[in-house]
Amino acid sequence: MRRGNGCRPGVFALGMLALLIPGVVAAQDPAKKVDIGGEVSVIGLTMPNQPAGGSTQEFRSRARLEITADPSTWLRLKFDGTVDGLLADRGGRVEDVIARAREAWVEARGSRGDLRVGYGRLVWGRLDEIMPSDVLNPIETSRYFLEGRSDARLPVAFARGRVFLTEVTTVEGVVSLPGRRGRFDELDEPTSPFNLVRDLVFPAAAPGEIRRVEPKATWNNLQVGGRLSSTLGRVDASVSAYRGFEPFGVLSLEPLVGTLVVGELVERYTTFTMLATDAEAVVGPWAIRAEAAYFVDQAFDVGVGVDRSAGNYRLFTSLVWHRDWTTEGPALVNHDLSLIGSIERRFARDRYLVRLFGVANPVDESGFVRGVVAWSVRDNVALEGSAGLFLGSETSSDTLSRFRDRDFAFVRLRWYF
């Protein structure tokens, strides 16, 4: 069983600092603002059909603490940490516990700009759920499907500075450390049903394991980016550029010398350069968004979407076209078209919520549908039920179809404080 290895010591120290400072601030000056909140939740999850047969039953728990403090008009401190637990039957009993900081940063603010340094998540892009330029944080696959992109972002160590050139124009610069890869599941990943590596058929000439060569957190491996945002008439728009490491590595069979096996599977994390733009405008009750991202010598994504809130209803829909190609070896080009949509309805003064979300790829005849029903039992207690269904066949080649036989259903009880 793994305990407490979800964040680095330095990051956790920063988190503890953020925990201690608000108490000092409050003791010295009660007028200073300190917000403390969090939640405790438990999930009972079942995945009835697995690729190798059988089923998976899981019990997941989470305790979360969030503290925000404003000791002065120019300083803000934030800590958001979680402890997650797992008790599961994944073809055998599995237990796991991790503690990690989701946010742990200090921000200094002025009239012409701000600087935020620490550990956390930063969002670029404007579309819902599938955002081509949202590349600053890696993603946890299991939480992406269970809860959505917002909860799936994994934190990184970073420094972000912004300069407000005018009231409507901002220049943003970001520097972050590598060394945190994307995850299929943070809770005992080797046994997780969402771990696609478990589906691999290892070559006869290689041992049944993968050696990961992750980029080291050094000055030479810094990830850097910049973004210029402005408002032009009724349109909010931005252009951005970013260079970093791919969150998931590329597998290759590499030779071994002086052993009885011919080679080993090695996962290496390549760099990418992204140039992107996005825009948003409000026309009547509709918000219209567009986004495009070019990954040099790798891929191109472009999308457009709309959303609207009307009374107890909220809906959005978007269309994203993806094209990738190879620059080495045989020329291979791949096209994907994703149709994304969601509709939600609230009832009885927001005590009940029903939401339906779906993604479809007509090119590969694959898709994903997730439904959520939530009941606010009390102001600080909620009961939720959710189910997800993956659509696809063995002849489909896109990412969604690779998760076929990972259908799930869960019930979650949440207590907020």
Side-chain angles (χ1 to χ4, degrees):
M1 182 167 65
R2 177 173 55 137
R3 295 184 182 276
N5 61 344
C7 57
R8 301 174 183 173
V11 174
F12 204 75
L14 180 58
M16 296 305 297
L17 178 64
L19 276 172
L20 295 174
I21 292 180
V24 175
V25 172
Q28 293 179 345
D29 188 351
K32 303 301 183 182
K33 184 178 179 181
V34 179
D35 292 327
I36 302 176
E39 68 173 277
V40 176
S41 66
V42 291
I43 289 180
L45 179 144
T46 181
M47 303 180 74
N49 52 331
Q50 296 293 279
S55 63
T56 295
Q57 319 300 326
E58 298 186 357
F59 178 81
R60 296 178 179 233
S61 63
R62 163 168 284 193
R64 175 172 168 248
L65 177 65
E66 181 179 0
I67 301 176
T68 304
D70 293 283
S72 67
T73 58
W74 60 269
L75 183 63
R76 167 165 288 188
L77 308 170
K78 175 73 176 284
F79 175 78
D80 183 348
T82 62
V83 177
D84 291 85
L86 172 71
L87 176 61
D89 178 4
R90 295 174 171 176
R93 182 185 175 95
V94 175
E95 300 178 11
D96 198 6
V97 176
I98 60 171
R100 67 180 174 96
R102 289 158 40 107
E103 308 278 349
W105 46 257
V106 177
E107 182 178 84
R109 297 172 291 180
S111 60
R112 300 301 302 271
D114 57 41
L115 175 64
R116 180 181 297 182
V117 179
Y119 194 66
R121 299 167 297 170
L122 299 170
V123 181
W124 283 2
R126 297 183 190 269
L127 294 180
D128 290 287
E129 289 301 322
I130 297 181
M131 306 158 68
S133 61
D134 186 26
V135 297
L136 278 67
N137 298 90
I139 295 292
E140 182 194 354
T141 303
S142 63
R143 199 166 294 277
Y144 183 88
F145 287 122
L146 295 176
E147 301 187 56
R149 190 182 191 96
S150 177
D151 288 291
R153 292 186 183 94
L154 296 173
V156 295
F158 72 92
R160 185 200 69 181
R162 296 187 300 181
V163 177
F164 310 135
L165 300 180
T166 68
E167 292 184 356
V168 297
T169 302
T170 301
V171 174
E172 176 181 358
V174 176
V175 177
S176 68
L177 290 176
R180 187 172 184 87
R181 63 179 177 88
R183 303 276 179 169
F184 291 107
D185 197 333
E186 285 200 294
L187 290 167
D188 204 70
E189 185 177 53
T191 65
S192 175
F194 290 99
N195 188 352
L196 294 179
V197 175
R198 298 177 64 195
D199 296 349
L200 292 177
V201 178
F202 287 86
E209 60 183 27
I210 297 172
R211 180 168 66 90
R212 289 191 173 94
V213 182
E214 300 183 32
K216 297 180 180 180
T218 64
W219 289 106
N220 292 333
N221 288 337
L222 286 179
Q223 303 177 116
V224 297
R227 191 177 191 223
L228 173 64
S229 305
S230 189
T231 299
L232 309 172
R234 299 175 60 182
V235 178
D236 297 327
S238 72
V239 293
S240 56
Y242 189 81
R243 181 167 177 81
F245 286 89
E246 295 284 358
F248 288 95
V250 177
L251 287 174
S252 61
L253 183 64
E254 298 186 5
L256 282 174
V257 179
T259 65
L260 297 178
V261 296
V262 176
E264 65 174 341
L265 280 177
V266 179
E267 186 175 35
R268 298 184 182 275
Y269 297 80
T270 60
T271 59
F272 71 91
T273 300
M274 181 198 72
L275 305 175
T277 184
D278 57 70
E280 177 180 0
V282 176
V283 181
W286 295 93
I288 303 173
R289 300 185 175 97
E291 187 172 343
Y294 170 59
F295 298 86
V296 178
D297 294 331
Q298 296 181 39
F300 179 71
D301 293 270
V302 60
V304 62
V306 297
D307 71 72
R308 176 178 180 176
S309 295
N312 294 321
Y313 285 91
R314 181 184 183 271
L315 62 89
F316 78 78
T317 183
S318 57
L319 175 69
V320 177
W321 177 70
H322 168 85
R323 182 179 187 269
D324 61 68
W325 58 90
T326 59
T327 57
E328 298 180 0
L332 297 175
V333 179
N334 177 62
H335 298 270
D336 282 317
L337 185 66
S338 297
L339 306 173
I340 307 101
S342 174
I343 184 169
E344 69 177 45
R345 171 76 158 88
R346 296 182 180 273
F347 302 88
R349 298 180 181 178
D350 294 341
R351 288 192 62 194
Y352 302 95
L353 169 70
V354 177
R355 179 186 298 119
L356 183 65
F357 169 80
V359 181
N361 182 349
V363 177
D364 284 283
E365 298 181 344
S366 63
F368 170 67
V369 179
R370 180 180 67 230
V372 179
V373 178
W375 171 33
S376 295
V377 182
R378 299 172 55 183
D379 289 343
N380 64 337
V381 178
L383 182 64
E384 302 174 5
S386 180
L389 176 67
F390 294 91
L391 308 172
S393 65
E394 294 183 0
T395 60
S396 302
S397 60
D398 71 328
T399 302
L400 277 179
S401 62
R402 296 180 65 191
F403 286 95
R404 60 184 177 273
D405 300 326
R406 266 81 169 186
D407 304 336
F408 62 84
F410 70 78
V411 176
R412 171 166 54 190
L413 180 64
R414 278 179 161 175
W415 173 63
Y416 302 92
F417 61 89

